[in-house]
């Protein structure tokens, strides 16, 4: 069965974006950047892959699931199909139709749809964001891979949304960790089942 991995950048106080959705406080570059390109080239937006001449095949993920707010960030940067090198899904109850011909819309029951996707053959499924969707999909999240930045933001969009709709704690254990010279830490957690 395929795994659903929440692969996301976060501050040390648990925010993935500012309240308005911007992520410009996350520094670009540093010595963690080449590690992303080497390990997870498929997580770079298609335009970035083209600009950096990254043509490495997908080795971890072949599917990306994102919430509407995460997708809107791509739209603001000029694309309605940010990861055209992957099979793309946008979860939204407000979009009237799929935003691009190569993007599938999930308008009802994202948990059931992700369960279906996990039963298909293929590489892993990347949960790109956002926090509210991560909270909804938490019962199916197998791994959390944090790119943890040494920043305290104080407020913004939380890693797993605001409030809790889950009846009990969900436990994970650290699988791997790596701290870079620029202070960014990669921490990969696996769900304890």
């Amino acid at each position: 069965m395929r795994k659903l991995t929440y692969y996301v950048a976060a501050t040390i106080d648990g925010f993935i974006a500012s309240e308005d959705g911007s992520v410009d406080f996350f520094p670009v570059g540093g010595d963690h950047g080449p590690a992303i390109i080497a390990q997870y080239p498929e997580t770079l937006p298609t335009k970035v892959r083209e600009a950096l001449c990254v043509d490495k095949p997908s080795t971890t993920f072949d599917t990306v699931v994102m919430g509407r707010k995460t997708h809107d960030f791509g739209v603001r940067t000029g694309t309605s199909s940010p990861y055209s090198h992957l099979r793309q899904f946008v979860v939204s109850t407000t979009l009237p139709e799929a935003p691009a011909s190569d993007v599938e819309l999930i308008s009802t029951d994202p948990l059931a749809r992700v369960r279906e996707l996990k039963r298909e053959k293929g590489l892993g499924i990347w949960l790109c964001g956002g926090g509210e969707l991560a909270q909804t999909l938490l019962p199916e999240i197998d791994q959390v891979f944090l790119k943890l930045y040494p920043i305290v933001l104080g407020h913004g969009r939380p890693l797993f949304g605001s409030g809790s709709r889950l009846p009990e704690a969900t436990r994970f254990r650290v699988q791997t960790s790596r701290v870079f010279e620029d202070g960014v830490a990669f921490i990969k957690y696996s769900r304890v089942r």
Side-chain angles (χ1 to χ4, degrees):
M1 183 177 283
R2 302 165 79 190
K3 290 184 178 179
L4 177 64
T5 301
Y6 187 22
Y7 172 84
V8 65
T11 63
I12 58 176
D13 57 343
F15 296 105
I16 59 172
S18 65
E19 290 173 354
D20 69 359
S22 67
V23 294
D24 56 359
F25 55 86
F26 288 125
V28 177
D31 62 327
H32 74 280
I36 293 171
I37 295 170
Q39 292 178 283
Y40 299 98
E42 61 268 40
T43 64
L44 297 172
T46 302
K47 284 184 174 184
V48 173
R49 288 170 58 94
E50 291 169 355
L52 296 176
C53 299
V54 174
D55 61 358
K56 295 180 178 185
S58 297
T59 57
T60 306
F61 307 114
D62 62 11
T63 303
V64 61
V65 177
M66 66 192 103
R68 184 197 49 82
K69 291 175 187 171
T70 300
H71 181 265
D72 284 351
F73 180 78
V75 170
R76 287 194 306 271
T77 62
T79 181
S80 58
S81 179
Y83 300 99
S84 61
H85 56 283
L86 299 173
R87 185 174 175 200
Q88 302 174 89
F89 292 87
V90 173
V91 177
S92 174
T93 58
T94 58
L95 287 174
E97 60 186 27
S101 62
D102 63 345
V103 176
E104 294 181 50
L105 179 64
I106 300 173
S107 58
T108 60
D109 203 351
L111 199 54
R113 184 65 177 117
V114 164
R115 287 178 177 139
E116 290 171 6
L117 291 171
K118 286 177 73 172
R119 287 190 294 269
E120 295 175 0
K121 292 193 184 303
L123 297 175
I125 303 164
W126 169 29
L127 172 55
C128 180
E132 299 294 330
L133 180 57
Q135 185 180 97
T136 298
L137 296 179
L138 186 55
E140 288 300 318
I141 293 175
D142 301 292
Q143 299 176 335
V144 176
F145 189 126
L146 291 182
K147 296 175 286 179
L148 197 59
Y149 286 77
I151 298 169
V152 174
L153 192 58
H155 53 83
R157 294 186 181 168
L159 188 61
F160 281 94
S162 55
S164 177
R165 294 175 278 188
L166 299 172
E168 59 189 46
T170 305
R171 299 196 184 279
F172 289 82
R173 69 175 165 263
V174 174
Q175 288 298 111
T176 62
S177 64
R178 180 178 177 191
V179 180
F180 294 86
E181 290 294 321
D182 61 14
V184 175
F186 287 0
I187 307 171
K188 186 176 182 180
Y189 299 89
S190 287
R191 186 185 196 103
V192 175
R193 299 239 185 229

